[in-house]
Every structure is written in structure tokens, then in C-alpha cells.
Amino acid sequence: MISMIKNFFRQHEYLSVFLLFFIIELFTIGINIPRLGFYHDDWYLLWSGAARGSTSIISLFSTDRPFMGIIYSYTYRLIGDNIILWHVYALFLRLLGGFTFYAILRRIFPDQPGLNFLMVSVFYVYPGFLSQPDANTKQNHLLGYEFAILSIYLSVVAVQTKEKWKKIISTFFAAVFALGYLFIYEYMIGLEITRIIFIGFALFKDNVDTIYSRVISALKTWILIPLVTIFFLYWRFFIFDSSRSATNIGKLEDSYLNNIQAMGYRLIFQTLRDFFDITFFAWFVEPYSLIKNADNTDLFIGLLFGFSLGLISFLWVKHHNKLTSEIAPQIILVAGLIIILSAIFPVILANREFDPNDAYKSYGLHPTMGVALVVGGFAAMVNKNYHQIVIISIFVISVTTQYLNGVAWVEAWELQKSVWWQLTWRAPDLLDETLLVIRMPDGYRFRENYEIFGPVNLIYRPGQYDSPPISAEIPHHDLLTYVSNSEIRQTQVRDIPLTMNYSRLLLGVVPNKDACLNMLNSSDPFYPESTPSDILELMPYTNSDNINTHSTQKFPPTKIFGEEPNHGWCYYFQKASLAYQDGNWAAIADYYQQVKNQELSPIIQEEWLPFIGGLLNYGDADEATKLYKQTVAKIKRFEVTTCQSINDPKFIIDLEKNEKLINLICN
């Protein structure tokens, strides 16, 4: 039976290698898919699609990449807010890109299946691209990259085929897909050097008698590509005007003209930095960080997957001509270095950069074919006695990194879901024009305001809207000025209009990933000692009256945010905080009894404060005092910082609620 299976796979190379590629992706990225969620830029698209309809996604991207908006709109119509389908779709595009890359390598290096397999494996697991879990957004990058790879493959086919009709069809569709990837992500234009290099390898395999006839044949099939590239560049530079500053040609031109020396130096040195980051440091910087901070169980699983896949891959390579190469491996390595350099140069030219510490950015994706050739060329140069060590080491580093990266994204999603459920436990509803600021713990902080207003409006304001009724901000250096002046500012996210009413601030903080969401209130100046200073500056201006305590309870849609979590400590903390806002002391006494019965306790002791204050006002001063002395009173400097805040004239204290609690803390 086993021999029959071996013979079957030997006779069906493509099937066996594709199955191995699928297994590699399954145990690096796919295994975490059921626990992944939505992130970052996903949220403004999800809100716009739900509130303004799927056609709004076209206008959403009309400011910078209109063609991508059209594709994105139709993709959203098919997938909607189904989390799993977005991740499966992104995984499918990643697999398809690798299959197409393998098809290119089989055409230009037909006699080295072992080396081809290794290079495509590196294409899949390279630890310099770690934003795959951001599937809703990154499927655009994966689709654009697949268009580019497919276009290059068709160019290679056109060069190698002898039949005229095949040349014509392949050349035509190569041009179509080239135009497609350029209209999706213009910074991938450096991949045209990859096309030339692969065509060069294809010519080396051609049996045409003379170099001259080879070059003429290649030019005839390639000439349409530069024509469509010139057409795209003409449209991009002279017809289309991007209103988004990050992609506006005029603003980029001004940056160079107004500071030509600094921008020139940046162009040179940032290109060199990114070149070394992609070729070398990406294998160590983020892998080290993820491994250092990983849970031991997760680290063991990642290492086990990496070693197992590395061993399987080595055995596959060993039975397929090892890492032999009819072309000198030095040539393959140098070709890979040129591909990397040409891929990153337009990114640097556009005033962006690759950061090996940033798993959110995607600039490590489109150089992966170059990285694959560099690693393949290097491995082929190594003495064959060390091939096992080289291959297994590559997989251990890469697969472990990708797996732990997936776990980190899972943890981020779990924390986000917890925060939104806690917000609804604390706030049955929010008033329109509320400006919500939530400070997440370090390592999980929101990058943009739409990461707050997107989910919050999907929860509290489902339905059709032209703009989000509830706005949001993230902490920044101008926020205190806007809030202290009670400014009202008009802004927008792409084409989504936002009214930012800074007099309606509602402030929340999650001190660390194990703590609860703490909603702050200027009339109740009690806060966790670990609250960041930039949030403390805003405390005199936050008002929990923006929480509508008597409205019908709103809940997060389970299709996006999952089922309601178990009612642990954070549930009772939020309910006690809500009852404290309403002055419902009997409810707090009841919640406290439930907490005692279940033996629940917080990670940060300040979360006992609504229970202590509630018990004091309920009339159980003895229990409240005992609880305070056993918990909050033990926190270093809590009494000093709290009493200083209470005496701050910027705070208007609600003495009716807080007098007894203030006396307990400060006297």
C-alpha cells in the first residue's frame, strides 16, 4: 500500500508538491484561522459596507486606488462580515501565488525539483511578511501580488512556446494581469525587473540557435508589457489625482523638491537598510521578539511544527535530486538580490519603508520571490552534507515565527472582543456625538480612530447611516488642546465624513491585557494607578453622562464578536460601575455578594472601588472598610495620587455619590 502511494506521488509531481505546500500553509497560517478576527483597516470597510452599502466601498477607495475599490466591493458582496471566509480567501490567494511561482520555476529550472520546492517553501513561510492574519485588508495585497506572478508566468510561457497563437494569447493576458496588479498596488512596479530576470532564465533554457534570435523572440513577446506600464504611469502621474496624501504624486514631488538633500540621503540609506532588513534581519528581529514573549506551550507547538515540516521537506528534497542546480547557484542568489532591491526601491521612493518589527505593514510580501531565490541559491552553495541542517533550520525559524505570529493576532482579537463586550455591559447605549477614546495596553494599542468607531457603531448604531453617529479618537499630542477648548472639528476617513465633538469625551482605559476596561469619569476621579499620563491629562474632561444608562441594552452582533463571554470578574465590575453611576447601591451590594460567592477577584485592585463606594452608600461601612484595607489601600501611592486629584480644581466632584468614599481614602 505504502509503495503504491509512493509510486502515485512520484508519477504526479505537481499533485504531491501542491499537497505539501498546502500542509505547510495549514500548519503555519491556516491552523490559527478559526480563532482570528478583524483588525485595523478592516473596520472602516466593514462599517461602510454595513451602513452605506457595498457600492460605497468603490467610492471609499476612489481617492487612491479606484480599481482596487471595485474588486473589493464585489468581494465584500460575496463574503460580507464572515470572518472565516475572509481568512480562507486570503489563504487561498497565498496558496495560489505559491503554486504560480512554482509553475514559473518548473519552466525555467525544470531539472531541479528539489531546489524549486525549497524556494517555494521559503516563499510561503518567509518571516518578513507577518500581516496575513489581517486577512480582510491584506487580501488586496495578495490578489495584486498573484496578478503580478501570473503575469510573469504568462510572459515566460510566451517566450518559451513555439506556437504563434499561444504566444499571442499568453502575451495578451500577461499584459492584462500586469495592468491589473499595477492598478491595485502601484508600488509593486519593481516586479517588472523580476519579469526580465525570469525571461532571461527562460531564454537560457531555449533551444534557439543564436543569442540574437533569442533576444528578438523575447522582445516580440515582452514589448506589450512596457507599453501597458507606460500607459499606467501616464494615467497615474498626469490623469489621476489622488486626494489621499500618502499616495498623492504632487505632495511626494514637493517633499523631494523642498528637501532634496535629506530625501536624497533617505533614498540611498533607507534602500540599503530595507535591503538588509529583508534579506537578513527579517529572519531574526521579529522571530526573536515573538519567541522571547511566547507562552511555553505555544513555543513548543511552533517548534514542533517547524521541525516536523522541515524534516518532511528535507526528505522530499533528498528524493528529488537534492539541491542540485544546472545554473550556478551564485547566479540564482545574485538574481534574488536584484529582485529584492528592485522590489523595495519604489516603496522607498514613495516615502515608505519596510519595518521588520511591524507585523501590520505588508511591504515584505512582494519581495518574497527574490528572498526565495537568495535562500535557494545560498542553500545550493552549501556542502550537501549540511543540507539537512540548512533546510530544517529554515523551517524551524520561519514556521515557528509564523505560528507564534498567528497566536499573537489571536490574542489581540480576544482582547478586542472582550473590550467591546465589556463596553456593552458597562454602557447599555451611548449618546449620539459621543467622542469615545479607549486606551488599550501597550502592544495592543489602536492605530487609528476607525478601529474604535467602526465596531462601536456596528454595535450601538446598526442600520443605514451616511456618517458614524458615534465618533472616536486615539490619544495624540493635539487631543488635550481640542478637548480643553471643546472644539467641534470636521474630518474624514477616506470618504467617510466624521463630526468630532470634543466636548462629548468619553474616556476608557485598559491598564494591561489582563485587566478590565475602566471607563473614567471627571466627577468620580478614581482611576487605576497604572493609567498612562496622557490619559490622566484628559480625565477632567471625560463625562460618563454620555452613557445612556436607561436605554434598551445593546449587544455586539455575535456573527462578528462571537458569543457573550462567561460572566467573570469583568462582568460584575462593569455592572457595579454602571450601578455606581446610577446610584443603585442595592444592586452593587448584590453584585458584591455574587463576587464573594464565586470567589472572583481582579488583577488590579483599584477595580474594587465601585464595590467599596457602593457598600459605603448602601450602609455597610464595616464591610467596605475591611475590603478597602485588604485591597486598594495596599497599593503604593494610591491614597496620595487620588487625594491630589480630588483637590484639583479642574475636577467637579459629585459629592453626593463620592463623599463617603473620599473620606475613607483621604482621612
Side-chain angles (χ1 to χ4, degrees), residues 417-435:
K417 287 194 297 182
S418 173
V419 165
W420 300 131
W421 275 103
Q422 287 183 60
L423 180 63
T424 58
W425 294 336
R426 174 65 180 86
D429 199 359
L430 299 177
L431 299 179
D432 285 350
E433 294 190 20
T434 295
L435 183 80

Side-chain angles (χ1 to χ4, degrees), residues 424-428 547 549 553 573-584:
T424 58
W425 294 336
R426 174 65 180 86
I547 296 174
T549 61
Q553 177 70 60
F573 168 69
Q574 302 300 350
K575 287 301 182 183
S577 300
L578 175 59
Y580 193 86
Q581 179 181 344
D582 267 352
N584 190 344

Side-chain angles (χ1 to χ4, degrees), residues 164-295:
K164 188 174 181 180
W165 68 273
K166 285 185 179 180
K167 280 185 180 292
I168 294 173
I169 292 176
S170 298
T171 300
F172 174 76
F173 282 104
V176 170
F177 284 114
L179 208 54
Y181 92 78
L182 290 171
F183 272 109
I184 292 176
Y185 278 111
E186 69 289 331
Y187 66 77
M188 291 187 182
I189 194 171
L191 291 172
E192 289 309 309
I193 302 299
T194 307
R195 186 193 308 273
I196 293 172
I197 289 173
F198 284 165
I199 287 176
F201 281 128
L203 289 176
F204 177 82
K205 298 300 302 176
D206 206 335
N207 293 321
V208 179
D209 292 334
T210 66
I211 293 293
Y212 176 78
S213 57
R214 294 185 190 186
V215 172
I216 294 300
S217 176
L219 284 174
K220 288 179 179 178
T221 56
W222 172 74
I223 193 64
L224 189 58
I225 301 299
L227 292 178
V228 299
T229 304
I230 291 169
F231 166 76
F232 168 77
L233 291 174
Y234 178 80
W235 172 83
R236 188 68 182 79
F237 279 88
F238 300 108
I239 297 177
F240 180 70
D241 182 23
S242 174
S243 59
R244 184 183 169 207
S245 58
T247 56
N248 186 280
I249 297 296
K251 291 183 179 180
L252 183 62
E253 183 181 0
D254 289 341
S255 298
Y256 278 96
L257 293 177
N258 295 333
N259 202 358
I260 190 167
Q261 184 178 18
M263 292 297 287
Y265 282 142
R266 181 192 176 276
L267 191 60
I268 296 169
F269 293 111
Q270 191 61 51
T271 300
L272 292 174
R273 279 196 289 264
D274 280 17
F275 177 73
F276 286 110
D277 282 343
I278 288 172
T279 54
F280 182 75
F281 292 112
W283 296 92
F284 302 102
V285 175
E286 194 64 13
Y288 169 78
S289 177
L290 287 166
I291 290 171
K292 177 184 176 183
N293 298 312
D295 175 83

Side-chain angles (χ1 to χ4, degrees), residues 50-329:
R52 307 193 301 170
S54 59
T55 55
S56 71
I57 298 172
I58 298 175
S59 62
L60 203 63
F61 292 91
S62 63
T63 58
D64 57 350
R65 298 182 178 106
F67 179 66
M68 186 179 78
I70 296 171
I71 297 177
Y72 211 167
S73 174
Y74 283 102
T75 307
Y76 175 83
R77 295 178 199 186
L78 292 173
I79 300 178
D81 54 9
N82 190 307
I83 297 175
I84 296 292
L85 286 183
W86 282 108
H87 288 280
V88 170
Y89 175 55
L91 182 67
F92 168 76
L93 290 175
R94 186 79 174 270
L95 284 167
L96 189 60
F99 292 168
T100 312
F101 181 42
Y102 184 77
I104 294 172
L105 295 178
R106 286 290 287 120
R107 278 191 163 270
I108 61 179
F109 306 134
D111 300 323
Q112 48 194 65
L115 186 57
N116 291 341
F117 173 83
L118 176 62
M119 289 192 288
V120 178
S121 298
V122 170
F123 174 93
Y124 281 128
V125 302
Y126 170 59
F129 174 65
L130 297 175
S131 55
Q132 173 90 21
D134 190 10
N136 183 307
T137 298
K138 302 314 178 192
Q139 53 83 25
N140 292 308
H141 302 73
L142 293 165
L143 181 64
Y145 194 30
E146 167 55 21
F147 278 2
I149 300 171
L150 188 56
S151 176
I152 293 169
Y153 168 75
L154 290 169
S155 289
V156 171
V157 170
V159 167
Q160 289 185 328
T161 188
K162 306 301 180 188
E163 300 178 63
K164 188 174 181 180
W165 68 273
K166 285 185 179 180
K167 280 185 180 292
I168 294 173
I169 292 176
S170 298
T171 300
F172 174 76
F173 282 104
V176 170
F177 284 114
L179 208 54
Y181 92 78
L182 290 171
F183 272 109
I184 292 176
Y185 278 111
E186 69 289 331
Y187 66 77
M188 291 187 182
I189 194 171
L191 291 172
E192 289 309 309
I193 302 299
T194 307
R195 186 193 308 273
I196 293 172
I197 289 173
F198 284 165
I199 287 176
F201 281 128
L203 289 176
F204 177 82
K205 298 300 302 176
D206 206 335
N207 293 321
V208 179
D209 292 334
T210 66
I211 293 293
Y212 176 78
S213 57
R214 294 185 190 186
V215 172
I216 294 300
S217 176
L219 284 174
K220 288 179 179 178
T221 56
W222 172 74
I223 193 64
L224 189 58
I225 301 299
L227 292 178
V228 299
T229 304
I230 291 169
F231 166 76
F232 168 77
L233 291 174
Y234 178 80
W235 172 83
R236 188 68 182 79
F237 279 88
F238 300 108
I239 297 177
F240 180 70
D241 182 23
S242 174
S243 59
R244 184 183 169 207
S245 58
T247 56
N248 186 280
I249 297 296
K251 291 183 179 180
L252 183 62
E253 183 181 0
D254 289 341
S255 298
Y256 278 96
L257 293 177
N258 295 333
N259 202 358
I260 190 167
Q261 184 178 18
M263 292 297 287
Y265 282 142
R266 181 192 176 276
L267 191 60
I268 296 169
F269 293 111
Q270 191 61 51
T271 300
L272 292 174
R273 279 196 289 264
D274 280 17
F275 177 73
F276 286 110
D277 282 343
I278 288 172
T279 54
F280 182 75
F281 292 112
W283 296 92
F284 302 102
V285 175
E286 194 64 13
Y288 169 78
S289 177
L290 287 166
I291 290 171
K292 177 184 176 183
N293 298 312
D295 175 83
N296 289 333
T297 301
D298 292 327
L299 178 58
F300 173 76
I301 293 172
L303 290 170
L304 180 63
F305 287 165
F307 179 80
S308 301
L309 292 173
L311 183 60
I312 292 170
S313 298
F314 168 73
L315 294 174
W316 196 96
V317 170
K318 183 179 178 181
H319 287 88
H320 289 80
N321 298 336
K322 299 187 178 179
L323 295 180
T324 57
S325 173
E326 58 184 310
I327 295 178

Side-chain angles (χ1 to χ4, degrees), residues 597-641:
N597 292 341
Q598 298 180 52
E599 298 182 346
L600 299 174
S601 61
I603 298 297
I604 59 170
Q605 298 305 306
E606 296 96 321
E607 290 173 5
W608 282 113
L609 284 170
F611 293 95
I612 296 168
L615 289 171
L616 284 170
N617 287 294
Y618 185 63
D620 196 348
D622 291 341
E623 182 67 19
T625 303
K626 177 183 174 182
L627 179 61
Y628 175 73
K629 289 180 178 179
Q630 291 176 344
T631 59
V632 182
K634 295 181 179 181
I635 301 171
K636 184 180 180 181
R637 288 188 55 78
F638 173 78
E639 292 181 1
V640 174
T641 55

